[in-house]
Every structure is written in structure tokens, then in C-alpha cells.
Amino acid sequence: MSCDRGEVQPGLCLVGEDDQILCALLETMLERAGWTVRSFTCVEEGLAELHTLGEGPSDLRLRGPLETGSALAGQKAGLRLVLLVDLNLPLSLTGCPAEHSSAPGGLTLVCRARELLAEQGQQAGLVLMSGDQLAHVPSDTTFLPKPFRRSQLLETVARACPALPFLGGIEGNGASERVEPFHPLP
């Protein structure tokens, strides 16, 4: 996938799904659309993955025309992150809950992720997916009902992905520009 002037390629999508077949399908669909995907099978693993984002410089950088000469290249401010989580994700694989909660595991992870990301100065798009109806979805969280088509998945993840911050005058182009979220083709 090329990145023409004004376009931004997708970033990192952390996928929380305990069904191995569905997880493999999600990884394939997202990677083919240009996303870097890291997956996990329980809340405990998801929290560990989020903690690693706060350690040291990110290996995920702005790509394409913004990378050359940009003071933001490689900084966390350039990380486009989406957390895509199954509502009923188990808390732990060991059988012992990572924390005692009456909320579904995915919802617990989204709430904890919000806190961790704020501590790290990161923004992320938050997407809960489930075949169950959800009575209340947090206002900063998108809901993706299962089953879904590939186009629905990609559209939902792209829409949830936070826009990059205003970059001001980027070296090399002499102009101020706002980078818009990635929108995959139908």
C-alpha cells in the first residue's frame, strides 16, 4: 500500500480475541489493509502489550512523505493505535482472574487501557466487538457487532483510529497540514 501526499497509512492494531481462528482472520484482514497487528488472547496479555508501548521509543513510525525531515518521525505522537477487543475476552489464561470484576473482560481491558494510555500520553481508538448486545458502550468506544464483513471491520477500525495531531509546518513542504485518518477502499 503506497502512501501519497496527504494520506497516512494505518498504524498498529492490538487485537484481543480468544478464538484462534477468528484471531487469525482478523490479523490477515487488517495486515492486508496495511495495519501492523499484534494479538493477544486474554486481558492479562493485552495489558502487558499496552505496557510495552510505554517503554522506550516506538518501532512504529510515521511512514511516507511525513517521515522525511519530520521532527515527529518515530515519536509516540506519530503512533496511530487502535485496540480491537472481544467483549467477552477472558481476564487470564491461568483460570485465575487478573482482577476481580463483574464487567466482561473486554470492557475491563478498555477501561484499564484508557488509564494506561493517558499515563503514557498516548491516544488510541477503542473498539469492542461481540455477538452479544451491549447495553452501554462508553462514549469513547466504538461497538462492532459480530458477525461482520471485512469492509465493516476495516471501516470501523479506520474510523476509530485517532487522527494525528496538528503537525504545524512540516519541514520539507513549507506548509501546515492536518493529517486525516486512513479510510480504506470499499
mmCIF file of all heavy atoms in Angstrom, residues 84-126:
data_model
loop_
_atom_site.group_PDB
_atom_site.id
_atom_site.type_symbol
_atom_site.label_atom_id
_atom_site.label_comp_id
_atom_site.label_asym_id
_atom_site.label_seq_id
_atom_site.Cartn_x
_atom_site.Cartn_y
_atom_site.Cartn_z
ATOM 1 N N LEU A 84 -8.683 -3.325 19.352
ATOM 2 C CA LEU A 84 -9.868 -4.055 18.892
ATOM 3 C C LEU A 84 -10.017 -5.274 19.784
ATOM 4 O O LEU A 84 -9.187 -6.181 19.751
ATOM 5 C CB LEU A 84 -9.677 -4.470 17.429
ATOM 6 C CG LEU A 84 -10.739 -5.350 16.795
ATOM 7 C CD1 LEU A 84 -12.066 -4.609 16.677
ATOM 8 C CD2 LEU A 84 -10.269 -5.827 15.425
ATOM 9 N N VAL A 85 -11.063 -5.294 20.627
ATOM 10 C CA VAL A 85 -11.160 -6.299 21.679
ATOM 11 C C VAL A 85 -12.528 -6.972 21.702
ATOM 12 O O VAL A 85 -13.563 -6.298 21.648
ATOM 13 C CB VAL A 85 -10.920 -5.642 23.068
ATOM 14 C CG1 VAL A 85 -10.940 -6.673 24.170
ATOM 15 C CG2 VAL A 85 -9.620 -4.882 23.091
ATOM 16 N N ASP A 86 -12.521 -8.291 21.826
ATOM 17 C CA ASP A 86 -13.753 -9.043 22.029
ATOM 18 C C ASP A 86 -14.301 -8.707 23.413
ATOM 19 O O ASP A 86 -13.557 -8.708 24.402
ATOM 20 C CB ASP A 86 -13.473 -10.547 21.918
ATOM 21 C CG ASP A 86 -14.716 -11.387 22.134
ATOM 22 O OD1 ASP A 86 -15.806 -10.979 21.687
ATOM 23 O OD2 ASP A 86 -14.605 -12.447 22.766
ATOM 24 N N LEU A 87 -15.579 -8.400 23.485
ATOM 25 C CA LEU A 87 -16.221 -8.043 24.753
ATOM 26 C C LEU A 87 -16.012 -9.120 25.813
ATOM 27 O O LEU A 87 -15.771 -8.827 26.978
ATOM 28 C CB LEU A 87 -17.721 -7.811 24.535
ATOM 29 C CG LEU A 87 -18.562 -7.531 25.775
ATOM 30 C CD1 LEU A 87 -18.161 -6.198 26.400
ATOM 31 C CD2 LEU A 87 -20.033 -7.536 25.436
ATOM 32 N N ASN A 88 -16.103 -10.390 25.419
ATOM 33 C CA ASN A 88 -16.009 -11.495 26.373
ATOM 34 C C ASN A 88 -14.612 -12.098 26.463
ATOM 35 O O ASN A 88 -14.463 -13.284 26.758
ATOM 36 C CB ASN A 88 -17.037 -12.565 26.009
ATOM 37 C CG ASN A 88 -18.443 -12.017 26.123
ATOM 38 O OD1 ASN A 88 -18.809 -11.418 27.133
ATOM 39 N ND2 ASN A 88 -19.230 -12.190 25.083
ATOM 40 N N LEU A 89 -13.593 -11.292 26.240
ATOM 41 C CA LEU A 89 -12.212 -11.748 26.362
ATOM 42 C C LEU A 89 -11.965 -12.201 27.802
ATOM 43 O O LEU A 89 -12.331 -11.498 28.742
ATOM 44 C CB LEU A 89 -11.273 -10.590 26.010
ATOM 45 C CG LEU A 89 -9.806 -10.920 25.820
ATOM 46 C CD1 LEU A 89 -9.612 -11.754 24.559
ATOM 47 C CD2 LEU A 89 -8.989 -9.637 25.732
ATOM 48 N N PRO A 90 -11.357 -13.396 27.989
ATOM 49 C CA PRO A 90 -11.091 -13.834 29.371
ATOM 50 C C PRO A 90 -10.074 -12.927 30.061
ATOM 51 O O PRO A 90 -9.201 -12.358 29.404
ATOM 52 C CB PRO A 90 -10.549 -15.252 29.206
ATOM 53 C CG PRO A 90 -10.209 -15.418 27.780
ATOM 54 C CD PRO A 90 -10.924 -14.361 27.004
ATOM 55 N N LEU A 91 -10.206 -12.806 31.367
ATOM 56 C CA LEU A 91 -9.278 -11.975 32.125
ATOM 57 C C LEU A 91 -7.873 -12.566 32.131
ATOM 58 O O LEU A 91 -6.889 -11.846 32.070
ATOM 59 C CB LEU A 91 -9.767 -11.791 33.564
ATOM 60 C CG LEU A 91 -11.042 -10.961 33.723
ATOM 61 C CD1 LEU A 91 -11.517 -10.980 35.166
ATOM 62 C CD2 LEU A 91 -10.823 -9.541 33.249
ATOM 63 N N SER A 92 -7.783 -13.890 32.217
ATOM 64 C CA SER A 92 -6.486 -14.552 32.323
ATOM 65 C C SER A 92 -6.574 -15.939 31.707
ATOM 66 O O SER A 92 -7.641 -16.543 31.668
ATOM 67 C CB SER A 92 -6.102 -14.652 33.798
ATOM 68 O OG SER A 92 -4.985 -15.468 33.979
ATOM 69 N N LEU A 93 -5.450 -16.442 31.237
ATOM 70 C CA LEU A 93 -5.418 -17.801 30.689
ATOM 71 C C LEU A 93 -5.176 -18.851 31.769
ATOM 72 O O LEU A 93 -5.371 -20.032 31.547
ATOM 73 C CB LEU A 93 -4.331 -17.924 29.613
ATOM 74 C CG LEU A 93 -4.590 -17.132 28.339
ATOM 75 C CD1 LEU A 93 -3.442 -17.301 27.370
ATOM 76 C CD2 LEU A 93 -5.896 -17.553 27.697
ATOM 77 N N THR A 94 -4.747 -18.408 32.948
ATOM 78 C CA THR A 94 -4.420 -19.349 34.022
ATOM 79 C C THR A 94 -5.654 -19.832 34.766
ATOM 80 O O THR A 94 -5.560 -20.733 35.588
ATOM 81 C CB THR A 94 -3.466 -18.690 35.041
ATOM 82 O OG1 THR A 94 -4.137 -17.580 35.632
ATOM 83 C CG2 THR A 94 -2.180 -18.247 34.382
ATOM 84 N N GLY A 95 -6.790 -19.234 34.488
ATOM 85 C CA GLY A 95 -8.006 -19.619 35.200
ATOM 86 C C GLY A 95 -8.251 -18.752 36.416
ATOM 87 O O GLY A 95 -9.346 -18.694 36.936
ATOM 88 N N CYS A 96 -7.214 -18.060 36.872
ATOM 89 C CA CYS A 96 -7.363 -17.131 37.996
ATOM 90 C C CYS A 96 -7.543 -15.737 37.422
ATOM 91 O O CYS A 96 -6.725 -15.297 36.622
ATOM 92 C CB CYS A 96 -6.114 -17.145 38.877
ATOM 93 S SG CYS A 96 -5.758 -18.774 39.544
ATOM 94 N N PRO A 97 -8.601 -15.062 37.799
ATOM 95 C CA PRO A 97 -8.829 -13.724 37.248
ATOM 96 C C PRO A 97 -7.662 -12.787 37.550
ATOM 97 O O PRO A 97 -7.094 -12.820 38.637
ATOM 98 C CB PRO A 97 -10.090 -13.244 37.952
ATOM 99 C CG PRO A 97 -10.723 -14.457 38.524
ATOM 100 C CD PRO A 97 -9.635 -15.461 38.734
ATOM 101 N N ALA A 98 -7.302 -11.967 36.570
ATOM 102 C CA ALA A 98 -6.252 -10.971 36.756
ATOM 103 C C ALA A 98 -6.685 -9.942 37.780
ATOM 104 O O ALA A 98 -5.880 -9.394 38.505
ATOM 105 C CB ALA A 98 -5.916 -10.303 35.431
ATOM 106 N N GLU A 99 -7.964 -9.697 37.830
ATOM 107 C CA GLU A 99 -8.551 -8.806 38.826
ATOM 108 C C GLU A 99 -10.013 -9.206 38.954
ATOM 109 O O GLU A 99 -10.593 -9.738 38.036
ATOM 110 C CB GLU A 99 -8.409 -7.341 38.414
ATOM 111 C CG GLU A 99 -8.995 -7.053 37.053
ATOM 112 C CD GLU A 99 -8.723 -5.634 36.621
ATOM 113 O OE1 GLU A 99 -9.477 -4.750 37.066
ATOM 114 O OE2 GLU A 99 -7.797 -5.432 35.838
ATOM 115 N N HIS A 100 -10.576 -9.005 40.104
ATOM 116 C CA HIS A 100 -11.972 -9.386 40.308
ATOM 117 C C HIS A 100 -12.865 -8.285 39.764
ATOM 118 O O HIS A 100 -12.752 -7.136 40.140
ATOM 119 C CB HIS A 100 -12.247 -9.642 41.798
ATOM 120 C CG HIS A 100 -11.419 -10.763 42.332
ATOM 121 N ND1 HIS A 100 -11.668 -12.073 42.025
ATOM 122 C CD2 HIS A 100 -10.326 -10.769 43.112
ATOM 123 C CE1 HIS A 100 -10.777 -12.846 42.605
ATOM 124 N NE2 HIS A 100 -9.946 -12.074 43.281
ATOM 125 N N SER A 101 -13.729 -8.656 38.850
ATOM 126 C CA SER A 101 -14.594 -7.683 38.213
ATOM 127 C C SER A 101 -15.852 -8.378 37.734
ATOM 128 O O SER A 101 -15.805 -9.503 37.267
ATOM 129 C CB SER A 101 -13.864 -7.048 37.033
ATOM 130 O OG SER A 101 -14.724 -6.218 36.318
ATOM 131 N N SER A 102 -16.970 -7.683 37.834
ATOM 132 C CA SER A 102 -18.210 -8.241 37.317
ATOM 133 C C SER A 102 -18.412 -7.840 35.857
ATOM 134 O O SER A 102 -19.281 -8.374 35.185
ATOM 135 C CB SER A 102 -19.398 -7.765 38.162
ATOM 136 O OG SER A 102 -19.461 -6.351 38.124
ATOM 137 N N ALA A 103 -17.597 -6.911 35.372
ATOM 138 C CA ALA A 103 -17.693 -6.468 33.981
ATOM 139 C C ALA A 103 -17.054 -7.510 33.066
ATOM 140 O O ALA A 103 -16.138 -8.220 33.464
ATOM 141 C CB ALA A 103 -16.985 -5.131 33.817
ATOM 142 N N PRO A 104 -17.536 -7.610 31.818
ATOM 143 C CA PRO A 104 -16.888 -8.514 30.864
ATOM 144 C C PRO A 104 -15.416 -8.137 30.686
ATOM 145 O O PRO A 104 -15.052 -6.967 30.813
ATOM 146 C CB PRO A 104 -17.668 -8.286 29.568
ATOM 147 C CG PRO A 104 -18.947 -7.646 29.975
ATOM 148 C CD PRO A 104 -18.663 -6.908 31.234
ATOM 149 N N GLY A 105 -14.586 -9.129 30.375
ATOM 150 C CA GLY A 105 -13.145 -8.900 30.260
ATOM 151 C C GLY A 105 -12.763 -7.811 29.278
ATOM 152 O O GLY A 105 -11.893 -6.988 29.554
ATOM 153 N N GLY A 106 -13.417 -7.789 28.103
ATOM 154 C CA GLY A 106 -13.094 -6.773 27.105
ATOM 155 C C GLY A 106 -13.377 -5.373 27.581
ATOM 156 O O GLY A 106 -12.599 -4.445 27.357
ATOM 157 N N LEU A 107 -14.490 -5.194 28.269
ATOM 158 C CA LEU A 107 -14.843 -3.889 28.810
ATOM 159 C C LEU A 107 -13.865 -3.485 29.913
ATOM 160 O O LEU A 107 -13.448 -2.328 30.002
ATOM 161 C CB LEU A 107 -16.279 -3.905 29.339
ATOM 162 C CG LEU A 107 -16.912 -2.570 29.672
ATOM 163 C CD1 LEU A 107 -16.882 -1.624 28.472
ATOM 164 C CD2 LEU A 107 -18.336 -2.768 30.145
ATOM 165 N N THR A 108 -13.463 -4.442 30.729
ATOM 166 C CA THR A 108 -12.465 -4.193 31.763
ATOM 167 C C THR A 108 -11.152 -3.729 31.132
ATOM 168 O O THR A 108 -10.533 -2.772 31.588
ATOM 169 C CB THR A 108 -12.219 -5.468 32.603
ATOM 170 O OG1 THR A 108 -13.446 -5.858 33.217
ATOM 171 C CG2 THR A 108 -11.157 -5.253 33.653
ATOM 172 N N LEU A 109 -10.740 -4.398 30.049
ATOM 173 C CA LEU A 109 -9.499 -4.030 29.361
ATOM 174 C C LEU A 109 -9.596 -2.630 28.767
ATOM 175 O O LEU A 109 -8.656 -1.840 28.880
ATOM 176 C CB LEU A 109 -9.156 -5.050 28.276
ATOM 177 C CG LEU A 109 -7.902 -4.740 27.456
ATOM 178 C CD1 LEU A 109 -6.677 -4.636 28.350
ATOM 179 C CD2 LEU A 109 -7.692 -5.788 26.386
ATOM 180 N N VAL A 110 -10.702 -2.303 28.145
ATOM 181 C CA VAL A 110 -10.869 -0.981 27.548
ATOM 182 C C VAL A 110 -10.754 0.104 28.622
ATOM 183 O O VAL A 110 -10.085 1.117 28.425
ATOM 184 C CB VAL A 110 -12.214 -0.885 26.786
ATOM 185 C CG1 VAL A 110 -12.607 0.552 26.513
ATOM 186 C CG2 VAL A 110 -12.137 -1.671 25.491
ATOM 187 N N CYS A 111 -11.387 -0.110 29.772
ATOM 188 C CA CYS A 111 -11.315 0.874 30.866
ATOM 189 C C CYS A 111 -9.886 1.025 31.382
ATOM 190 O O CYS A 111 -9.397 2.135 31.589
ATOM 191 C CB CYS A 111 -12.251 0.483 32.000
ATOM 192 S SG CYS A 111 -13.991 0.595 31.542
ATOM 193 N N ARG A 112 -9.208 -0.085 31.558
ATOM 194 C CA ARG A 112 -7.817 -0.048 32.043
ATOM 195 C C ARG A 112 -6.891 0.530 30.972
ATOM 196 O O ARG A 112 -5.970 1.283 31.277
ATOM 197 C CB ARG A 112 -7.376 -1.459 32.457
ATOM 198 C CG ARG A 112 -6.015 -1.519 33.060
ATOM 199 C CD ARG A 112 -5.960 -0.781 34.412
ATOM 200 N NE ARG A 112 -4.614 -0.834 34.907
ATOM 201 C CZ ARG A 112 -3.840 0.243 35.083
ATOM 202 N NH1 ARG A 112 -4.308 1.443 34.838
ATOM 203 N NH2 ARG A 112 -2.613 0.124 35.517
ATOM 204 N N ALA A 113 -7.136 0.209 29.711
ATOM 205 C CA ALA A 113 -6.319 0.733 28.604
ATOM 206 C C ALA A 113 -6.406 2.253 28.557
ATOM 207 O O ALA A 113 -5.399 2.935 28.338
ATOM 208 C CB ALA A 113 -6.782 0.129 27.284
ATOM 209 N N ARG A 114 -7.607 2.780 28.757
ATOM 210 C CA ARG A 114 -7.808 4.228 28.752
ATOM 211 C C ARG A 114 -6.883 4.878 29.785
ATOM 212 O O ARG A 114 -6.237 5.892 29.505
ATOM 213 C CB ARG A 114 -9.268 4.532 29.050
ATOM 214 C CG ARG A 114 -9.666 5.955 28.838
ATOM 215 C CD ARG A 114 -11.144 6.198 29.119
ATOM 216 N NE ARG A 114 -12.034 5.369 28.328
ATOM 217 C CZ ARG A 114 -12.855 4.436 28.828
ATOM 218 N NH1 ARG A 114 -12.891 4.206 30.122
ATOM 219 N NH2 ARG A 114 -13.648 3.748 28.044
ATOM 220 N N GLU A 115 -6.796 4.304 30.984
ATOM 221 C CA GLU A 115 -5.943 4.843 32.048
ATOM 222 C C GLU A 115 -4.469 4.748 31.677
ATOM 223 O O GLU A 115 -3.714 5.705 31.839
ATOM 224 C CB GLU A 115 -6.189 4.089 33.349
ATOM 225 C CG GLU A 115 -7.578 4.240 33.921
ATOM 226 C CD GLU A 115 -7.859 3.236 35.030
ATOM 227 O OE1 GLU A 115 -6.936 2.504 35.450
ATOM 228 O OE2 GLU A 115 -9.022 3.171 35.473
ATOM 229 N N LEU A 116 -4.044 3.562 31.200
ATOM 230 C CA LEU A 116 -2.639 3.356 30.835
ATOM 231 C C LEU A 116 -2.204 4.295 29.714
ATOM 232 O O LEU A 116 -1.117 4.870 29.756
ATOM 233 C CB LEU A 116 -2.402 1.911 30.380
ATOM 234 C CG LEU A 116 -2.295 0.855 31.460
ATOM 235 C CD1 LEU A 116 -2.245 -0.530 30.839
ATOM 236 C CD2 LEU A 116 -1.053 1.093 32.299
ATOM 237 N N LEU A 117 -3.035 4.426 28.710
ATOM 238 C CA LEU A 117 -2.685 5.276 27.572
ATOM 239 C C LEU A 117 -2.583 6.738 27.993
ATOM 240 O O LEU A 117 -1.696 7.462 27.535
ATOM 241 C CB LEU A 117 -3.700 5.095 26.450
ATOM 242 C CG LEU A 117 -3.667 3.715 25.790
ATOM 243 C CD1 LEU A 117 -4.910 3.490 24.941
ATOM 244 C CD2 LEU A 117 -2.405 3.517 24.969
ATOM 245 N N ALA A 118 -3.460 7.176 28.889
ATOM 246 C CA ALA A 118 -3.392 8.550 29.395
ATOM 247 C C ALA A 118 -2.084 8.771 30.152
ATOM 248 O O ALA A 118 -1.427 9.801 29.992
ATOM 249 C CB ALA A 118 -4.590 8.850 30.282
ATOM 250 N N GLU A 119 -1.680 7.783 30.952
ATOM 251 C CA GLU A 119 -0.411 7.876 31.679
ATOM 252 C C GLU A 119 0.769 7.966 30.727
ATOM 253 O O GLU A 119 1.753 8.643 31.005
ATOM 254 C CB GLU A 119 -0.220 6.651 32.583
ATOM 255 C CG GLU A 119 -1.120 6.594 33.779
ATOM 256 C CD GLU A 119 -1.034 5.252 34.518
ATOM 257 O OE1 GLU A 119 -0.104 4.461 34.242
ATOM 258 O OE2 GLU A 119 -1.913 4.996 35.350
ATOM 259 N N GLN A 120 0.686 7.276 29.594
ATOM 260 C CA GLN A 120 1.767 7.245 28.613
ATOM 261 C C GLN A 120 1.710 8.408 27.634
ATOM 262 O O GLN A 120 2.578 8.567 26.799
ATOM 263 C CB GLN A 120 1.721 5.932 27.816
ATOM 264 C CG GLN A 120 1.940 4.700 28.640
ATOM 265 C CD GLN A 120 1.656 3.415 27.849
ATOM 266 O OE1 GLN A 120 1.302 3.449 26.676
ATOM 267 N NE2 GLN A 120 1.818 2.285 28.501
ATOM 268 N N GLY A 121 0.658 9.220 27.726
ATOM 269 C CA GLY A 121 0.492 10.314 26.790
ATOM 270 C C GLY A 121 0.098 9.849 25.394
ATOM 271 O O GLY A 121 0.364 10.522 24.410
ATOM 272 N N GLN A 122 -0.531 8.691 25.303
ATOM 273 C CA GLN A 122 -0.943 8.099 24.020
ATOM 274 C C GLN A 122 -2.434 8.273 23.823
ATOM 275 O O GLN A 122 -3.187 8.404 24.775
ATOM 276 C CB GLN A 122 -0.668 6.587 24.034
ATOM 277 C CG GLN A 122 0.752 6.203 24.185
ATOM 278 C CD GLN A 122 1.400 5.932 22.834
ATOM 279 O OE1 GLN A 122 0.830 6.214 21.800
ATOM 280 N NE2 GLN A 122 2.587 5.405 22.877
ATOM 281 N N GLN A 123 -2.834 8.228 22.566
ATOM 282 C CA GLN A 123 -4.250 8.169 22.220
ATOM 283 C C GLN A 123 -4.457 6.875 21.456
ATOM 284 O O GLN A 123 -3.558 6.404 20.773
ATOM 285 C CB GLN A 123 -4.647 9.327 21.326
ATOM 286 C CG GLN A 123 -4.721 10.646 22.016
ATOM 287 C CD GLN A 123 -5.282 11.693 21.064
ATOM 288 O OE1 GLN A 123 -5.223 11.555 19.865
ATOM 289 N NE2 GLN A 123 -5.823 12.749 21.632
ATOM 290 N N ALA A 124 -5.640 6.318 21.575
ATOM 291 C CA ALA A 124 -5.956 5.104 20.825
ATOM 292 C C ALA A 124 -7.436 5.080 20.510
ATOM 293 O O ALA A 124 -8.253 5.606 21.270
ATOM 294 C CB ALA A 124 -5.573 3.858 21.631
ATOM 295 N N GLY A 125 -7.752 4.460 19.408
ATOM 296 C CA GLY A 125 -9.137 4.173 19.100
ATOM 297 C C GLY A 125 -9.520 2.905 19.837
ATOM 298 O O GLY A 125 -8.743 1.955 19.884
ATOM 299 N N LEU A 126 -10.676 2.880 20.455
ATOM 300 C CA LEU A 126 -11.119 1.734 21.232
ATOM 301 C C LEU A 126 -12.341 1.123 20.561
ATOM 302 O O LEU A 126 -13.341 1.803 20.349
ATOM 303 C CB LEU A 126 -11.455 2.163 22.666
ATOM 304 C CG LEU A 126 -10.329 2.882 23.420
ATOM 305 C CD1 LEU A 126 -10.838 3.445 24.733
ATOM 306 C CD2 LEU A 126 -9.147 1.951 23.647
#
